[in-house]
Amino acid sequence: MIMKDLFDQVSFDCSRNVTKSYSTSFSSAVKMLAPNIRQDIYNIYGFVRFADEIVDSFHDYNKEALFYLFENDLELALKNKISLNPILNSFQNTVHKYEIPRELIDAFMKSMKLDLSKTEYKTVSEYNEYIYGSADVVGLMCLKVFVKGDDVKYESLKDSAMRLGSAFQKVNFLRDLKADFEDLNRTYFPNTDLSKLDEKSKLKIIEEIEADFKAGYEGLILLPIEAKFGVYTAYSYYKKLLAKLKNTPSAEIKNTRIRVSNYQKYGLFAKCYFSYKLNII
């Protein structure tokens, strides 16, 4: 093994470890993907996770300085096809391997940068633009990997991949409402007073998410075999989380973080496996 190959492998290991450390649920879903595309999804997740952590977690540091350093390192990684930051080295490898469009990466970074200063989304237009950059484009990056260069397949599944990405993000917003609102002083849902969230407002948000899930599922069932089981597993997990949120009083959502227990996750994954094997998805 030449030294660059060794460095790349170390970088890939870092991206995989980031995924496993930060999200056991997503990591479990990635394991359901075919081995030949699994690492590239780790590489994408590692990148988006690091950017997200800068704006969400590093409160005792200069977030702006860290973000701009990360952004500059990203630019150099994409240009030079190497980075001494192993997460960015992994990501650039996947970007060039699957020709992930630069506009998807730029849109993501734009939304992350908004989290440095913007705390409220007052219009549907602002909200949709943020969702597109923070979630939809991540779904499209993954779709590029799933279709492995088939542009016709990519274009046919593009809209449903975006809707599924939107659904996942909106579930996260609702689940993390307390932390976003109280700890980060952020309000993502437009025209909604989260300090006075009632059942009517909650159900309106959930109906919007359910419509996204429905549109996303229409594309999910058409995914290549290598990706279908893993994406269906993630879809089923988030649908379960949404069901729990729907059955949780709005006052409780504001005061706690709703979770799917490990016991329920295991049962969910088993159900997904049998559905996949019986070809009913």
Side-chain angles (χ1 to χ4, degrees), residues 30-39 148 225-227 230:
V30 175
K31 290 178 182 177
M32 310 302 176
L33 298 171
N36 63 332
I37 60 173
R38 201 177 294 163
Q39 182 62 58
K148 293 185 289 187
I225 193 70
E226 296 94 337

Side-chain angles (χ1 to χ4, degrees), residues 13-25:
D13 290 344
C14 286
S15 294
R16 184 173 62 254
N17 287 335
V18 166
T19 307
K20 291 180 177 179
S21 297
Y22 277 97
S23 179
T24 55
S25 299

Side-chain angles (χ1 to χ4, degrees), residues 68-87:
Y68 287 114
L69 177 62
F70 185 75
E71 188 175 43
N72 185 63
D73 288 345
L74 168 65
E75 183 68 31
L76 292 173
L78 295 174
K79 177 183 177 181
N80 299 328
K81 298 185 179 181
I82 189 173
S83 176
L84 294 182
N85 178 326
I87 297 301

Side-chain angles (χ1 to χ4, degrees), residues 45-277:
Y45 182 87
F47 163 69
V48 300
R49 171 51 62 186
F50 264 36
D52 194 53
E53 286 304 304
I54 293 171
V55 299
D56 281 359
S57 301
F58 301 157
H59 307 308
D60 296 331
Y61 302 89
N62 186 328
K63 293 181 180 181
E64 288 80 4
L66 289 173
F67 187 84
Y68 287 114
L69 177 62
F70 185 75
E71 188 175 43
N72 185 63
D73 288 345
L74 168 65
E75 183 68 31
L76 292 173
L78 295 174
K79 177 183 177 181
N80 299 328
K81 298 185 179 181
I82 189 173
S83 176
L84 294 182
N85 178 326
I87 297 301
L88 291 178
N89 189 55
S90 298
F91 180 63
Q92 68 79 23
N93 185 289
T94 295
V95 169
H96 290 108
K97 181 179 178 182
Y98 293 97
E99 298 182 342
I100 293 175
R102 181 60 190 265
E103 55 264 29
L104 299 183
I105 303 169
D106 290 343
F108 172 76
M109 292 297 284
K110 181 180 178 181
S111 283
M112 292 301 97
K113 194 179 295 184
L114 286 173
D115 278 338
L116 291 171
S117 58
K118 193 172 180 63
T119 58
E120 186 175 1
Y121 292 80
K122 296 181 179 180
T123 69
V124 173
S125 177
E126 286 182 339
Y127 171 65
N128 287 338
E129 183 179 11
Y130 179 84
I131 290 285
Y132 173 75
S134 66
D136 295 4
V137 298
V138 179
L140 293 178
M141 290 182 206
C142 292
L143 182 61
K144 274 288 183 179
V145 175
F146 296 155
V147 301
K148 293 185 289 187
D150 187 335
D151 291 336
V152 174
K153 191 78 170 176
Y154 175 80
E155 289 298 327
S156 69
L157 296 176
K158 185 176 178 180
D159 290 342
S160 60
M162 291 169 60
R163 293 293 294 274
L164 194 58
S166 291
F168 290 172
Q169 181 70 299
K170 291 170 187 176
V171 170
N172 285 337
F173 285 164
L174 199 56
R175 179 192 60 182
D176 298 335
L177 191 151
K178 175 178 166 57
D180 286 338
F181 187 60
E182 294 184 3
D183 300 339
L184 299 174
N185 193 33
R186 291 185 196 148
T187 301
Y188 290 109
F189 296 112
N191 305 315
T192 303
D193 184 351
L194 297 184
S195 64
K196 301 177 182 177
L197 182 70
D198 56 20
E199 285 300 304
K200 182 178 179 180
S201 298
K202 186 195 79 171
L203 290 176
K204 183 179 179 181
I205 292 170
I206 287 176
E207 287 174 1
E208 177 184 317
I209 299 172
E210 288 175 334
D212 284 334
F213 269 124
K214 182 178 179 181
Y217 183 79
E218 292 174 0
L220 185 161
I221 59 177
L222 300 176
L223 283 172
I225 193 70
E226 296 94 337
K228 186 184 290 187
F229 181 34
V231 177
Y232 180 67
T233 300
Y235 164 88
S236 299
Y237 168 74
Y238 273 93
K239 282 276 285 184
K240 179 67 174 179
L241 194 52
L242 182 64
K244 294 196 72 169
L245 288 163
K246 189 173 185 177
N247 292 325
T248 301
S250 55
E252 189 174 339
I253 290 177
K254 290 188 295 183
N255 296 313
T256 188
R257 190 175 191 265
I258 306 302
R259 298 177 182 274
V260 175
S261 69
N262 288 335
Y263 173 78
Q264 290 175 315
K265 287 179 187 177
Y266 297 144
L268 190 66
F269 292 152
K271 183 178 179 181
C272 289
Y273 178 77
F274 285 114
S275 295
Y276 173 74
K277 282 297 184 180

